[in-house]
Amino acid sequence: MPCVTVAVYKESLMKKYLYPIIFSIIIVLSIVAIFMQTSPSIKLYPLIKSNINKTIISPETIISPVIGIEKIEDDKILIISLDTFVEHKGEKIRIHLRNGKISYVRIDLDRKNAEVIWNYSLNGYRIFSYPHVKNGSIIVAVVDSRTFNKSEILKISDQKVGKIATVKFQVLRINSFEDGKILLTGSRDKCGKVVLLENSSKILDVDLGNRTMDSLILDVNGDGYKDFLVSGSIFSEGFVSVFLNTFSGFREVKRIKIPNDIVWDIRFANLGKEKIVLFGPKGIYLLNLQNYNVETLFKSEDNYYLSQIEVTDLDHDGFDEFFCVYHNETQCYFIELEYSSGKLYPILKYPINLEGCFALKHIKNNNFIVSSPYGDLYLMKLV
C-alpha cells in the first residue's frame, strides 16, 4: 500500500511540475526550429526602369512612384502611379500630387521582363484611389488632389472607361458585393466617410471617425446576408466597426478599439482555419467576432513600421505566411512571418536596397512584384 501511495505521489508531481516544463521546452524548441530553417535568398530583376537620374535629385524633380499593385491574373498586374514633386517656399514644404496613371502590365516570369499593354492617364491634379479588381473589371476613384473633396467612381472593363457616380469626399478604398453594390471608404474635411452605392445612387452615407480606410465584406451573424467591417481612426487611435445587414438597411452595431495603432487593411487569412486579420503600421492583429477580442500576432520594433503586406500559403502547409515591407527611416526590409503557437515569428529578414518600397504583390509561386519610390518595378524571387 505505501508503494502505491508513493507512485501516485510521484505521478502527481509529474503532472504538476514536469509535464508543464516538458511542454514549454517543446514549444521553445519548435520556435527555435522555425528560426533555424534555411532561409531563402532573394534575387531582384528590373522590369520597368524610370528615367529619373537618382544621383541628381532636386526638390522640383518630378518622380512617379508606383503606389499600388493589384493582381489580375498570374502574369498580369495593374499598377497605380502618380507624378509627385516637392515645392519649397521659404521654410514651407508642400507636396503636390498630380497626373495619376493606371497601367495594365504583362509579366513574363521566364524571361523576367514586363510589357505595358495599356495606360490610362489623368490630367491636372487628379490621382487614383486604390483600385478594386473583380472578375477582370476594375473599379477605381479619380480624386481631386487639390482639395480631396470630390471623387469620380469609374469602371474599367476591356480597356473601356465608364463613369458610375460622383461623390463629395476622398475615396481611398473600394469594395463590392456580389449583387453589384459598391462600398466606398475615405474621408472629407477630417471626417471619415462610408458610402454604399447601388448603381449610381447612395443607399448608405455614414460619417465615421476622422477617416475610414478599408472594409471587409462577410456574413457576421450567419443569417445568410452579407454584412461588412470598416476600419477607421479617431486621431491616432484605430477602430473596426461592424455593420449588419438588417431589414431596415445596414447599421453599425459594434465599434472595436485598436489601441496604439490604426488599421490600414482587413483580410481573411488561413491560420489552420479562416480568420480575420487586421494590419496596421505597428502590428498585425487577430479579430474574433464571437467575443470582439483583438489579439496581437506581431508587434513592430521601436521606430519600425509595416507598410505593404501579402498573405499567401507559399509552402502549401495549410497555414498562410505573411510577407511584409518592414522599414525605419533609413532601411527597408522584406520579411516573412510564419504562424506558430498563436503568434507570427520572422523567419526571413532581407534588406531591399530600393530606398524604400511603396508596393508589394505576390503573383505566382515564389515571385513577387515590388516598386521603388522613383517608379522602378522589380521582380523579386525567393530562391
Side-chain angles (χ1 to χ4, degrees):
M1 193 69 179
C3 294
V4 174
T5 304
V6 170
V8 171
Y9 177 68
K10 286 182 177 179
E11 185 178 350
S12 66
L13 284 177
M14 291 278 284
K15 289 181 178 178
K16 186 174 182 180
Y17 297 106
L18 192 55
Y19 288 171
I21 291 173
I22 292 173
F23 182 73
S24 299
I25 290 173
I26 290 172
I27 293 296
V28 170
L29 289 177
S30 299
I31 294 171
V32 170
I34 291 173
F35 278 95
M36 293 301 290
Q37 290 175 359
T38 302
S39 296
S41 61
I42 290 177
K43 289 188 177 180
L44 282 174
Y45 302 95
L47 296 175
I48 298 175
K49 297 291 287 182
S50 69
N51 56 6
I52 299 294
N53 185 345
K54 301 174 183 64
T55 61
I56 308 174
I57 298 291
S58 69
E60 288 73 31
T61 299
I62 296 176
I63 61 174
S64 300
V66 173
I67 60 168
I69 304 173
E70 291 296 328
K71 178 179 172 180
I72 299 174
E73 298 175 22
D74 285 345
D75 64 340
K76 296 182 182 67
I77 61 171
L78 184 77
I79 63 175
I80 300 288
S81 58
L82 54 86
D83 289 347
T84 306
F85 72 93
V86 179
E87 180 185 26
H88 286 255
K89 288 187 176 180
E91 296 181 355
K92 293 183 178 180
I93 297 176
R94 186 176 181 182
I95 298 175
H96 295 272
L97 307 177
R98 65 180 191 180
N99 297 347
K101 183 170 72 173
I102 279 183
S103 300
Y104 193 88
V105 179
R106 180 185 289 117
I107 307 294
D108 189 327
L109 295 177
D110 294 327
R111 297 182 177 181
K112 300 176 180 59
N113 60 27
E115 175 191 7
V116 178
I117 303 171
W118 180 74
N119 280 325
Y120 179 61
S121 298
L122 302 171
N123 295 318
Y125 290 87
R126 299 192 303 157
I127 61 175
F128 285 108
S129 70
Y130 287 95
H132 174 64
V133 178
K134 189 172 184 178
N135 300 327
S137 294
I138 303 156
I139 304 174
V140 67
V142 175
V143 182
D144 184 334
S145 66
R146 291 166 297 186
T147 64
F148 292 102
N149 282 340
K150 187 178 78 170
S151 301
E152 295 178 350
I153 313 304
L154 305 181
K155 183 175 182 179
I156 304 173
S157 184
D158 296 326
Q159 302 179 11
K160 295 179 181 178
V161 182
K163 181 178 173 181
I164 298 173
T166 298
V167 293
K168 294 182 178 180
F169 70 99
Q170 178 196 358
V171 175
L172 180 65
R173 298 286 182 105
I174 300 173
N175 211 333
S176 66
F177 287 79
E178 291 296 333
D179 62 3
K181 293 186 183 72
I182 298 172
L183 183 61
L184 310 173
T185 50
S187 62
R188 177 185 171 92
D189 297 331
K190 299 182 180 179
C191 178
K193 298 288 292 182
V194 179
V195 167
L196 187 62
L197 296 179
E198 187 169 29
N199 298 320
S200 59
S201 301
K202 287 192 288 186
I203 60 172
L204 178 73
D205 189 338
V206 177
D207 295 340
L208 199 65
N210 297 129
R211 51 184 169 168
T212 58
M213 285 165 281
D214 198 22
S215 63
L216 182 69
I217 296 172
L218 72 166
D219 184 358
V220 172
N221 52 8
D223 65 354
Y225 295 94
K226 291 294 186 181
D227 315 296
F228 64 88
L229 310 178
V230 170
S231 66
S233 66
I234 299 176
F235 300 110
S236 60
E237 183 171 82
F239 63 84
V240 173
S241 287
V242 181
F243 283 80
L244 289 186
N245 190 349
T246 69
F247 290 110
S248 58
F250 289 93
R251 64 184 183 89
E252 184 186 14
V253 298
K254 184 70 176 179
R255 190 173 297 186
I256 307 158
K257 291 185 178 179
I258 314 296
N260 305 315
D261 207 350
I262 60 174
V263 177
W264 177 256
D265 203 351
I266 315 174
R267 299 191 210 176
F268 290 116
N270 188 352
L271 302 177
K273 60 180 181 179
E274 190 175 70
K275 298 187 177 182
I276 300 169
V277 182
L278 314 175
F279 302 93
K282 294 301 294 178
I284 303 173
Y285 312 93
L286 193 64
L287 174 61
N288 187 334
L289 288 180
Q290 301 300 316
N291 53 19
Y292 298 116
N293 280 348
V294 176
E295 301 175 27
T296 300
L297 294 176
F298 176 79
K299 199 69 177 174
S300 301
E301 302 169 72
D302 288 343
N303 301 317
Y304 275 82
Y305 300 92
L306 296 164
S307 56
Q308 300 293 324
I309 299 175
E310 277 290 89
V311 179
T312 185
D313 184 6
L314 206 63
D315 56 9
H316 307 292
D317 66 348
F319 289 81
D320 282 332
E321 292 81 48
F322 294 67
F323 300 90
C324 316
V325 175
Y326 191 55
H327 61 92
N328 58 17
E329 292 183 357
T330 59
Q331 183 62 61
C332 184
Y333 295 93
F334 176 81
I335 65 171
E336 179 183 354
L337 305 174
E338 190 168 281
Y339 183 76
S340 177
S341 305
K343 297 290 183 181
L344 289 171
Y345 297 94
I347 63 171
L348 169 68
K349 185 178 179 181
Y350 194 90
I352 306 176
N353 297 317
L354 301 179
E355 299 182 55
C357 177
F358 286 173
L360 166 74
K361 183 62 63 175
H362 174 252
I363 54 171
K364 186 180 180 181
N365 299 329
N366 294 343
N367 298 289
F368 294 79
I369 303 295
V370 296
S371 69
S372 80
Y374 303 106
D376 304 314
L377 204 67
Y378 294 87
L379 171 66
M380 183 171 68
K381 190 175 184 67
L382 276 64
V383 294

